[in-house]
Amino acid sequence: MYHIAVSWDVQPERVKEFIAAALKDGREAGAAEPGTLRFELIADPNDKNRFYLNEAYADEAAFDAHAAGDFFKEFFAEVGPYSEISWLFKGTTVTE
């Protein structure tokens, strides 16, 4: 399984808009992309303007397909002007 985690710092006046866009992206990608296994939006308990996305994919190719797809592009186009992303990690589950 391939995992990614990112943090997003969102302009305070756009938090509700960001949440709606992130949840929409997760729902649509999960329904349309068979390799998308998990999409979780997590609120930072100490910073009301910071959110984390914790995602899992069948493999790196499934993530690459997601990143090249319309849901990913639309989400970044929508939230990019009012938020800043930090990639926390990308990697494959270690099984041995």
Side-chain angles (χ1 to χ4, degrees), residues 13-28:
E13 67 277 7
R14 307 292 289 269
V15 164
K16 288 183 182 182
E17 194 175 339
F18 174 83
I19 292 170
L23 294 176
K24 178 180 182 273
D25 177 47
R27 275 192 312 274
E28 292 178 353

Side-chain angles (χ1 to χ4, degrees), residues 43-80:
D44 187 301
N46 300 311
D47 184 343
K48 64 183 179 180
N49 302 314
R50 178 169 293 153
F51 297 87
Y52 303 96
L53 289 177
N54 179 20
E55 303 176 27
Y57 298 86
D59 52 29
E60 189 172 359
F63 170 72
D64 291 342
H66 170 67
D70 290 338
F71 301 120
F72 187 90
K73 291 175 187 172
E74 290 171 10
F75 175 66
F76 272 80
E78 182 173 346
V79 305

